[in-house]
Amino acid sequence: MNWGNKLLVVFAAFGCFILYMVYRCTQTQVDLVSKEYYKDELVYQNVIDGKNNADMLNNKVKVTQDDNNVAIQFPEEMRGENVTGSIWFYAPANAKNDLQLVLKTNGSLVQQVPKGKLQPGNYTVKISWQEADKKFYSEQPITISK
């Protein structure tokens, strides 16, 4: 085998490798944080303002878990107020595991989320709520175990 044939084999192997990598790239699942990323980026100032408002509260939102539920405890300052909002359990590893809920607290300002609705893994709990005309936002990491 002369040097010309060796060079041809190297180029053919390189071409096959590139084709294989293109095939693998088209088969890879890519989950974005949001399907409407650019639209969300334009209103990100609301998140910054909400975080600042939440930081000014005397007590912070607490996310805890027991054997059956994940409990989200809102600050006592929200008692008696008309609080509306949403809770998003964001799973960075797989968008199929995300869970979005409407905020519905009980009389003691706690919202319970059954663990049966969540797959085991790491989540970021993104809580966005509004009291009167003031918006609040909080993010907390949590690991769900069964």
Side-chain angles (χ1 to χ4, degrees):
M1 198 165 174
N2 64 20
W3 67 271
N5 290 341
K6 291 177 184 176
L7 187 61
L8 183 63
V9 168
V10 168
F11 280 133
F14 180 73
C16 289
F17 173 73
I18 293 297
L19 290 174
Y20 171 73
M21 292 304 291
V22 168
Y23 169 75
R24 289 290 302 209
C25 288
T26 61
Q27 301 303 312
T28 302
Q29 177 183 350
V30 177
D31 292 330
L32 297 176
V33 173
S34 172
K35 293 183 194 255
E36 298 176 359
Y37 179 79
Y38 294 109
K39 184 180 99 175
D40 293 346
E41 187 67 27
L42 293 174
V43 294
Y44 193 72
Q45 186 62 42
N46 294 340
V47 172
I48 295 169
D49 294 341
K51 283 182 181 180
N52 291 337
N53 289 337
D55 287 341
M56 288 191 292
L57 294 172
N58 292 332
N59 297 315
K60 308 295 181 228
V61 174
K62 294 178 186 156
V63 179
T64 58
Q65 64 178 311
D66 58 21
D67 292 338
N68 300 321
N69 296 309
V70 175
I72 301 167
Q73 173 72 51
F74 285 88
E76 281 296 319
E77 297 166 70
M78 299 290 134
R79 185 173 299 284
E81 302 295 334
N82 185 17
V83 178
T84 59
S86 64
I87 300 171
W88 179 19
F89 285 85
Y90 168 67
N94 189 347
K96 294 177 188 171
N97 293 343
D98 286 1
L99 177 65
Q100 292 188 359
L101 303 166
V102 175
L103 181 63
K104 294 182 216 165
T105 59
N106 59 19
S108 58
L109 297 171
V110 176
Q111 179 156 350
Q112 300 279 344
V113 179
K115 278 188 168 180
K117 292 184 174 184
L118 299 165
Q119 297 296 320
N122 294 325
Y123 290 87
T124 301
V125 182
K126 298 181 179 188
I127 307 161
S128 174
W129 75 98
Q130 183 173 344
E131 175 265 320
D133 61 342
K134 201 168 190 180
K135 294 183 179 184
F136 299 89
Y137 183 83
S138 176
E139 285 186 8
Q140 294 187 21
I142 189 169
T143 300
I144 302 296
S145 57
K146 289 284 179 176

